[in-house]
Amino acid sequence: MERGSTAESALEEEQLRLADRVSRQDDPSFSGGPVAGVDVVYAGDVAAACAVVIDTASFKTLVTLEHVRECHYPYVRGYFFLREGPVVMALLSQLEAGVPVLVNGNGVLHPRRCGLASHVGVLTGRQTIGVTKRLMLGHVGPRTGDWAPVIDNDETIGAALWPPGRSRPLYVSIGHRVSLPTALSIVRSATRSGLPEPLRLAHLRARDLLGRTVRSGAHRHP
DNA sequence: GCGACAG
DNA sequence: ATCTTGTCGC
C-alpha cells in the first residue's frame, strides 16, 4: 500500500467507522475461568496460526485450534489487520463463544483507535484485548503498582503493565467489550511470568504447526 | 530530513 | 515477523 493512496484512506475511514463501534465497557464482567490467546507465525507467504484456551485457575490448556493459509499482504504499520486479520478471523470462527481473547497487537491503542484486536473484536462481536511488547503510540504516565496509563492527546488509550519476571512492560489495551481495568486483570490472571500463557503457548504451537506444514508441503498448490 | 511507534 | 551463535543473567 502506498502512502496517501485511495486504498489507504478508504481503510482509514473503515477503521474510524469500526472504532465507533468498539465497546469499552465490561460485557460481561470477568470472574476467572478460561482465557484464549491467538498468534501467527510466517514463512514467506504461508501463515500458520494457533489459538490456545487455558483455564486461569489451573493454567492447563483446554483447547488448541490451528489454521494455515496464505497471506499476501505485507506488514504495514497501522494496518496490521490487512496482514493478520483474515487468519485470526478464521481461527476465532472455530472458537467457542464467551471466552475473552488476547491478541498479539493493539486494540484502541492505535492512531484511529482501531488496532487489530479491536478490529477483529467488532467484526466477531467477541471480547478482545490487545497485548504488545512495544509501544506504538502515546506516552506512559505515572506508574502505580504494576501498571501505568498510556496517554495520547489527553486520552487514556491503554496501559503499560509490568508482569512478574519481565523487566520491560507489556502494553495492554481495550480490544472490544472490556474495560481497561478488567483487561489488565484478565492479562494478570493469565500470566505466570513474562508473556500471558495463552499467547506464549499459541506462539509455540503456531511455530510447530508452521514447521509441520512446510515440511509436508501441504500448503503448496498442486 | 530524521526518527520511530503493533507484527 | 524473520534472518541467526553464543552468551549474560535471574
Side-chain angles (χ1 to χ4, degrees):
Chain A
M1 178 193 303
E2 300 305 319
R3 182 157 186 79
S5 70
T6 56
E8 179 178 276
S9 57
L11 180 56
E12 288 180 356
E13 288 167 16
E14 172 71 357
Q15 289 178 332
L16 290 171
R17 280 193 296 272
L18 290 171
D20 276 340
R21 296 171 55 192
V22 168
S23 168
R24 305 189 183 198
Q25 300 303 313
D26 293 327
D27 174 29
S29 60
F30 179 74
S31 53
V35 173
V38 297
D39 192 36
V40 186
V41 297
Y42 302 87
D45 281 353
V46 181
C50 186
V52 171
V53 182
I54 67 156
D55 174 61
T56 52
S58 63
F59 279 96
K60 290 190 173 176
T61 298
L62 302 176
V63 179
T64 299
L65 300 173
E66 299 179 337
H67 185 76
V68 177
R69 69 187 295 151
E70 289 193 4
C71 172
H72 299 294
Y73 276 101
Y75 167 71
V76 180
R77 191 184 145 66
Y79 306 91
F80 193 25
F81 179 84
L82 288 182
R83 179 166 177 79
E84 204 148 298
V87 65
V88 172
M89 293 291 291
L91 267 182
L92 295 190
S93 71
Q94 308 172 47
L95 181 68
E96 62 185 296
V99 182
V101 180
L102 306 181
V103 177
N104 265 316
N106 290 307
V108 302
L109 202 170
H110 181 273
R112 289 165 295 283
R113 309 297 185 252
C114 189
L116 177 66
S118 293
H119 203 133
V120 302
V122 171
L123 292 189
T124 63
R126 287 175 174 278
Q127 286 190 296
T128 56
I129 296 163
V131 180
T132 64
K133 302 175 195 67
R134 298 164 54 166
L135 185 61
M136 181 197 198
L137 179 72
H139 67 270
V140 178
R143 175 173 172 173
T144 306
D146 68 348
W147 73 283
V150 170
I151 298 162
D152 178 49
N153 287 325
D154 294 323
E155 178 192 4
T156 296
I157 57 176
L161 176 70
W162 285 265
R166 187 188 163 90
S167 54
R168 305 192 311 112
L170 295 174
Y171 300 94
V172 177
S173 58
I174 291 169
H176 186 48
R177 293 178 57 203
V178 69
S179 67
L180 185 56
T182 298
L184 286 170
S185 40
I186 290 175
V187 171
R188 286 189 195 101
S189 73
T191 305
R192 318 170 101 151
S193 174
L195 291 178
E197 211 62 9
L199 292 177
R200 193 181 67 77
L201 294 173
H203 183 73
L204 293 176
R205 298 299 300 264
R207 276 184 52 193
D208 184 67
L209 171 62
L210 181 63
R212 275 152 39 212
T213 303
V214 171
R215 266 181 281 118
S216 73
H219 60 290
R220 285 173 213 144
H221 290 173

